[in-house]
Amino acid sequence: MNARPCGRFAPSPSGRLHLGSLVAALGSWLFAHAAGGRWLVRIEDLDREREVASATRHIIATLAAFGLHPDAPVVRQSTRTGLYRAALQRLADAGHAYRCWCSRGDLEPLGGIHPPTCVARPGPREPAWRLRVGEACLGFDDRICGPYRQQLATAVGDFVIWRADGACAYQLAVVVDDAAQGITEVVRGADLLDSTPRQLLLQRLLGLPQPSYAHLPLVLDAQGRKLSKHEDARPVEAGAPLPALRAALRVLGQQVASAGSVADVLAHALRTFDAERIPASRAPDDCRSA
Ligand code: GLU
């Protein structure tokens, strides 16, 4: 079966779009459209504590100002809890997920990595749910960064798929949504490269298709740190989009039209798009050789 390619941009509404998130939006848009596919926007608003009021509205309006229009109505994760609960139930019923009362403090002596059995005993508060990772060493071939493998037990341990505060965790929600929305290619920032093996394991256990992955270069600040929406990265200007659009194309290693409107610059970028020119960020594999 040859599904029409479908990509997505999945911002968390923890602030306005900055150059780093624009790179992810534009990169995913270019991959999808260059392949004749569709491009969707999903607002990842499960973490209510980190959500900034009006960020969702700003993100959608800013994408439009940059000429990046989704091919279907925007989806919000906060409206999809039933889907995530059903997936958790399946994992729990199959014995892949278990309740956990361990706190961050309990796991500190273990480097934050949860072992196969809990450190804390059941208590009065609500538990989190964790996924058993066992001996899984999962790898994939990133379209930009190349082969990447991870031994989950040593890199992350049994990880949280449902939080003690009652919210579905990012790793589970993203896998459920990518499958439910028919996403065939995940294109996003390289900070999520090392989350991908967790997502591959969840796809495998839930019997979901595996999309292709492309992890884009990160935009770093003067100290070499990732720009993130909740630090003080400057938002891109929706009122004057061309400078940031050109800057984002340069981060992606693409040709930049020297003149024209937003629509002209995008059309030129699409015509000349070359994924081979995107610089690769590399994270070391962390599978121990057996
Ligand atoms: N919501 C995540 C973020 O804003 C991105 C998730 C993804 O693309 O898989 O960092």
Side-chain angles (χ1 to χ4, degrees):
M1 192 180 62
N2 261 340
R4 185 174 172 205
C6 186
R8 50 51 161 202
F9 173 53
S12 308
S14 51
R16 297 186 182 204
L17 284 193
H18 55 74
L19 184 59
S21 32
L22 179 64
V23 166
L26 179 60
S28 57
W29 184 93
L30 283 168
F31 266 98
H33 284 277
R38 297 174 346 119
W39 181 74
L40 309 182
V41 173
R42 179 173 75 230
I43 302 291
E44 301 210 320
D45 56 352
L46 291 179
D47 192 342
R48 285 295 154 105
E49 266 172 38
R50 285 180 48 201
E51 185 165 349
V52 172
S54 74
T56 295
R57 193 163 40 81
H58 277 113
I59 289 172
I60 294 169
T62 306
L63 290 172
F66 280 83
L68 305 174
H69 303 285
D71 295 309
V74 172
V75 158
R76 288 165 201 245
Q77 286 190 324
S78 55
T79 63
R80 297 161 70 82
T81 306
L83 271 183
Y84 312 139
R85 271 201 188 285
L88 172 66
Q89 192 67 52
R90 285 181 54 201
L91 293 167
D93 289 349
H96 298 308
Y98 61 92
R99 288 186 178 82
C100 167
W101 280 265
C102 297
S103 66
R104 221 167 260 188
D106 292 329
L107 298 177
E108 214 168 274
L110 303 167
I113 294 184
H114 194 289
T117 42
C118 281
V119 180
R121 291 173 186 284
R125 49 186 188 89
E126 281 298 307
W129 284 84
R130 286 184 188 268
L131 194 78
R132 274 182 221 294
V133 300
E135 295 302 307
C137 179
L138 284 162
F140 66 103
D141 204 358
D142 191 271
R143 292 164 78 183
I144 299 169
C145 302
Y148 181 77
R149 295 193 325 147
Q150 195 181 57
Q151 180 85 50
L152 287 169
T154 48
V156 290
D158 286 359
F159 61 92
V160 172
I161 54 172
W162 203 276
R163 294 160 28 157
D165 67 5
C168 179
Y170 158 68
Q171 306 290 354
L172 179 59
V174 78
V175 161
V176 168
D177 280 336
D178 283 339
Q181 293 186 281
I183 303 299
T184 62
E185 51 174 55
V186 171
V187 179
R188 60 188 177 189
D191 54 321
L192 292 165
L193 187 64
D194 67 356
S195 278
T196 309
R198 275 171 276 181
Q199 297 170 15
L200 299 185
L201 179 59
L202 280 164
Q203 285 155 3
R204 190 181 281 188
L205 296 176
L206 289 165
L208 301 174
Q210 182 182 318
S212 67
Y213 287 92
H215 286 89
L216 303 168
L218 297 179
V219 180
L220 304 175
D221 68 12
Q223 281 76 45
R225 294 173 313 199
K226 183 198 164 202
L227 286 192
S228 81
K229 281 166 272 171
H230 37 92
E231 285 151 24
D232 55 355
R234 263 187 308 131
V236 291
E237 284 276 352
L242 277 168
L245 185 58
R246 291 207 175 91
L249 284 168
R250 280 194 290 272
V251 172
L252 292 169
Q254 301 302 303
Q255 289 188 25
V256 186
S258 51
S261 63
V262 164
D264 297 333
V265 173
L266 276 182
H268 180 266
L270 192 54
R271 254 193 332 271
T272 57
F273 178 62
D274 181 358
E276 300 285 317
R277 296 172 58 118
I278 301 176
S281 338
R282 276 296 309 173
D285 281 1
D286 52 13
C287 273
R288 306 263 156 90
S289 44

